[in-house]
Amino acid sequence: MNKWGRNKLKKILTFLFPLFLLTACSDITHNDYRFTGESEHWEAEYSYTGTETRGEDNGIGTYSNEDSHKFTLTYKGSLEELSSMRKLEYLYSTLSSNGKSTEEFTEPTTTKIFSSSGGSTNGAKVTKDEVILVKVKWDDVEESILLDNKKLTTK
């Protein structure tokens, strides 16, 4: 190998070695949860994906997390049954956060599926054994749903 090749190799190794050490010292946990439940008229699902990273920086423990979630609410009856609906409100509550949505309809809705999503960095996380409360109100009718994680998964 010529001098140019050795210098290039040294630069690559100089970059990769600290990256390898940083990765080797990190402990990464992936959390993928799917909470489901239903009431008389509605089915709901809350999907949660999170990554937790624990490491060390100059002898001090570090922690960070990132997550995303999607909430889906599906009407179990026919679309025609929803045609008179003028207002839909739903909210869901985890132990660490909540979400709320309100939709008003001046024309009959064209869907039975309503959803919202979000995410955070270094925020509170959802645990696999939570029970998520959902409240749905459409016009003058109200139902509650409890969502639980039927398949508890941590990688």
Side-chain angles (χ1 to χ4, degrees), residues 52-65:
E52 298 175 81
T53 305
R54 290 174 180 78
E56 192 173 304
D57 185 17
N58 293 326
I60 299 172
T62 62
Y63 175 83
S64 66
N65 69 39

Side-chain angles (χ1 to χ4, degrees), residues 1-9:
M1 183 180 301
N2 63 25
K3 186 175 178 180
W4 183 83
R6 281 192 300 267
N7 285 341
K8 185 106 170 147
L9 183 61

Side-chain angles (χ1 to χ4, degrees), residues 6-23:
R6 281 192 300 267
N7 285 341
K8 185 106 170 147
L9 183 61
K10 283 182 184 179
K11 287 180 182 179
I12 291 171
L13 289 176
T14 302
F15 172 75
L16 289 178
F17 187 71
L19 187 62
F20 173 74
L21 283 178
L22 181 62
T23 305

